[in-house]
């Protein structure tokens, strides 16, 4: 990582972008905001993101929705899943652990399953012990721990995360670098970094989540661009369940176009820890550790690009229960929770003027007229075993 300078990436020449795990697997992604209810009231939190009123749907409805998502995804050829839960604070939903158990129980019928949550980490250690037990069958489990300096106890926050990391959970701390508190947050970021935890510095979005606020001074932008190096400290934990029934892969709509490219110019050990891959017009591949950095580079306008959001990814958002392609997309919802929805049958052009959420920008997409791969061809899936990676939890 220290030999790789993100400021060298020729963003104006990039023709395709995508998270590596989406480019290389039959992975369907769901970002699910279970509700806006949160037990913190941070001074910088936007009203759309949190509420003091409970706004959760029944656990049975959540389980039914999960079943329908998996059914439609499988009909489109995807049988690996990534579910990412957030809120509000997702751990406050009374049926949350039951929903995760339901998800974990289906792992044997999939090629791969991963689970993510964004949490303020407010539950106690006893709750997290149950969480560890329930999620054991899942191949990979990760947590983005949002550090809110006005409410969280810094030491307890660090201790819980070190315990989870020790148990094989992939941890990243997100710190929204509110311009007003920038220096204090920068010191906290170093505190966690020196404890051996990954820290991502997130620019603050505006009140409609459509752009980054403009209160940053150039030196602040510079620090956020370079950030703190990600550290790979998570140890390998053997999965509880490894027996699977592998279905036959289905043909993908444009699989004939999908040509594997050789990785150029970088040692494997460096690129392995980077989440996102990009292809430039001269055929070179570029990488970035976290899509969160794109906003700091102003790389967030993909209008007219062919995007696989809505075909291989959705978001579910409360309070209206809308199911959409993704967070930033201006498209009409694909449906509503409890009322039905239909996924796209293939990737579709982006109609939005900005793509500011990192969850959106890493969904594979390509400039119109280019043929960069958006998901693996059947041949590649067969070569790679069309299944879970060797390393997992
Ligand atoms: S805004 Fe939506 S459709 Fe456009 S690139 Fe981002 S995720 Fe894709």
């Amino acid at each position: 990582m220290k030999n790789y300078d993100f400021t060298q990436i020729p963003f104006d020449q990039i023709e395709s972008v995508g998270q590596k795990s989406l480019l290389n697997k039959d992975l369907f992604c769901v970002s699910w905001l279970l509700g806006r209810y949160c037990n913190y009231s941070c001074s910088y939190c936007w009203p759309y993101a949190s509420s003091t009123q409970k706004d959760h749907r029944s656990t049975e409805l959540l389980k039914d929705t999960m079943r329908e998502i998996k059914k439609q995804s499988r009909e489109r050829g995807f049988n690996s899943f990534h579910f990412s839960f957030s809120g509000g604070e997702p751990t406050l939903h009374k049926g949350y652990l039951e929903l995760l158990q339901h998800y974990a129980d289906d792992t044997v019928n999939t090629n791969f399953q991963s689970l993510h949550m964004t949490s303020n980490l407010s539950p106690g250690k006893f709750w997290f012990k149950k969480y560890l037990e329930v999620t054991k069958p899942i191949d990979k489990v990760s947590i983005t721990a949002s550090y809110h300096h006005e409410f969280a106890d810094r030491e307890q926050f660090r201790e819980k995360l070190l315990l989870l990391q020790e148990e094989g959970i992939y941890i990243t701390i997100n710190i929204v670098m509110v311009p007003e508190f920038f220096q204090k947050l920068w010191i906290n970021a170093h505190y966690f970094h020196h404890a051996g935890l990954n820290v991502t510095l997130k620019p603050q979005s505006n009140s409609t989540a459509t752009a980054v606020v403009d209160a940053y001074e150039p030196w602040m932008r510079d620090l956020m661009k370079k950030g703190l190096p990600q550290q790979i400290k998570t140890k390998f934990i053997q999965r509880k369940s490894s027996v699977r029934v592998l279905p036959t892969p289905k043909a993908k709509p444009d699989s004939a176009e999908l040509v594997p490219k050789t990785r150029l110019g970088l040692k494997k050990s460096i690129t392995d820890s980077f989440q996102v891959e990009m292809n430039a017009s001269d055929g070179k591949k570029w990488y970035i550790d976290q899509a969160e950095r794109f906003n700091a580079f102003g790389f967030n306008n993909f209008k007219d690009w062919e995007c696989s959001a809505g075909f291989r990814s959705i978001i579910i958002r409360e309070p209206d229960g809308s199911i959409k392609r993704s967070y930033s997309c201006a498209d009409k919802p694909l449906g509503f929770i409890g009322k039905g929805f239909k996924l796209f049958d293939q990737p579709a052009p982006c109609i939005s003027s900005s793509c500011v959420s990192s969850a959106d920008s890493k969904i594979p997409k390509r400039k119109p007229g280019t043929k960069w791969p958006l998901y693996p061809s059947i041949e590649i899936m067969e070569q790679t075993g069309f299944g879970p990676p060797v390393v997992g939890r």
Side-chain angles (χ1 to χ4, degrees):
M1 169 105 178
K2 65 177 180 231
N3 297 324
Y4 197 82
D5 182 357
F6 300 126
T7 62
Q8 298 298 309
I9 299 173
F11 284 106
D12 55 341
Q13 291 163 40
I14 296 298
E15 292 191 340
S16 78
V17 58
Q19 182 171 303
K20 281 196 276 183
S21 57
L22 287 161
L23 294 169
N24 301 326
K25 281 199 194 82
D26 64 330
L27 189 65
F28 190 93
C29 274
V30 180
S31 283
W32 197 334
L33 286 81
L34 291 178
R36 292 183 305 157
Y37 179 53
C38 185
N39 49 344
Y40 290 177
S41 332
C42 303
S43 58
Y44 50 84
C45 189
W46 302 116
Y48 70 83
S50 105
S51 159
T52 52
Q53 304 298 316
K54 279 205 173 168
D55 56 355
H56 293 152
R57 295 186 189 255
S58 77
T59 311
E60 276 316 305
L61 179 56
L62 301 187
K63 289 202 272 189
D64 285 349
T65 305
M66 185 178 275
R67 271 187 219 105
E68 180 61 22
I69 292 167
K70 287 188 159 184
K71 177 176 160 282
Q72 290 196 30
S73 310
R74 284 168 169 142
E75 286 166 2
R76 285 156 181 78
F78 298 102
N79 193 30
S80 296
F81 297 95
H82 176 72
F83 273 68
S84 174
F85 294 100
S86 61
E89 172 53 33
T91 61
L92 297 176
H93 190 295
K94 280 205 165 57
Y96 185 54
L97 290 176
E98 188 182 331
L99 180 65
L100 298 190
Q101 181 77 62
H102 175 76
Y103 183 58
D105 288 348
D106 189 41
T107 304
V108 291
N109 303 311
T110 67
N111 297 321
F112 173 83
Q113 285 213 118
S114 57
L115 171 71
H116 180 79
M117 78 164 165
T118 302
S119 168
N120 62 24
L121 230 72
S122 53
K125 280 190 182 169
F126 181 69
W127 188 93
F128 278 108
K129 278 192 184 143
K130 282 203 255 173
Y131 174 83
L132 284 169
E133 190 50 40
V134 164
T135 60
K136 233 176 200 161
I138 299 169
D139 296 295
K140 184 174 175 186
V141 181
S142 56
I143 294 178
T144 295
S146 300
Y147 178 68
H148 298 292
H149 71 283
E150 294 166 323
F151 287 87
D153 178 291
R154 196 170 76 158
E155 244 165 78
Q156 281 181 15
F157 191 83
R158 183 190 66 169
E159 291 318 304
K160 278 184 220 170
L161 288 177
L162 289 174
L163 177 100
L164 289 162
Q165 189 161 267
E166 184 63 19
E167 292 294 328
I169 307 283
Y170 292 76
I171 299 293
T172 304
I173 298 174
N174 255 2
I175 303 188
V176 178
M177 300 301 285
V178 183
E180 193 187 344
F181 308 119
F182 199 94
Q183 279 180 337
K184 182 176 181 181
L185 294 170
W186 178 245
I187 291 166
N188 285 330
H190 273 271
Y191 171 80
F192 295 125
H193 176 73
H194 289 301
L197 294 159
N198 287 325
V199 182
T200 301
L201 310 175
K202 274 191 82 167
Q204 189 184 17
S205 302
N206 64 8
S207 59
T208 51
T210 50
V212 171
V213 296
D214 4 277
Y216 290 107
E217 294 178 29
W219 65 271
M220 296 177 178
R221 287 186 186 275
D222 204 43
L223 280 180
M224 287 190 292
K225 274 182 194 168
K226 293 193 174 146
L228 288 162
Q230 300 285 299
Q231 342 193 31
I232 309 300
K233 294 263 183 180
T234 312
K235 67 178 183 182
F236 169 73
I237 306 273
Q238 185 61 49
R239 285 196 342 265
K240 195 159 128 186
S241 158
S242 56
V243 182
R244 286 178 144 89
V245 184
L246 294 187
T248 310
K250 294 177 77 172
K252 299 288 192 295
D254 60 355
S255 60
E257 301 170 357
L258 308 182
V259 185
K261 301 278 173 187
T262 333
R263 295 184 173 184
L264 300 174
L266 284 172
K267 286 184 189 153
K268 195 170 183 295
S269 58
I270 299 176
T271 60
D272 272 1
S273 62
F274 290 2
Q275 276 192 3
V276 180
E277 184 177 301
M278 289 163 279
N279 288 293
S281 50
D282 62 1
K284 276 197 180 152
K285 283 193 182 293
W286 293 87
Y287 300 87
I288 203 156
D289 55 347
Q290 301 272 319
E292 273 80 6
R293 278 192 214 281
F294 283 155
N295 284 324
F297 287 99
F299 184 61
N300 51 23
N301 184 345
F302 304 106
K303 193 152 188 223
D304 299 328
W305 285 38
E306 193 182 356
C307 178
S308 48
F311 170 61
R312 66 169 317 168
S313 75
I314 49 168
I315 64 142
I316 306 176
R317 188 155 43 188
E318 299 297 352
D320 64 351
S322 56
I323 300 179
K324 290 188 65 187
R325 295 183 79 172
S326 209
Y327 294 97
S328 319
C329 314
D331 307 64
K332 281 190 192 139
L334 304 168
F336 292 86
I337 190 166
K339 294 182 185 157
F341 65 94
K342 186 174 179 293
L343 300 177
F344 287 169
D345 291 325
Q346 58 188 28
C350 171
I351 61 164
S352 314
S353 54
S354 66
C355 183
V356 288
S357 162
S358 58
D360 300 355
S361 49
K362 64 191 175 194
I363 297 167
K365 49 184 91 16
R366 61 188 174 196
K367 266 194 175 164
T370 65
K371 299 291 181 192
W372 297 108
L374 296 179
Y375 33 81
S377 66
I378 289 172
E379 294 74 26
I380 294 171
M381 285 195 272
E382 281 171 351
Q383 279 165 25
T384 58
F386 190 55
V390 184
V391 178
R393 177 174 173 271

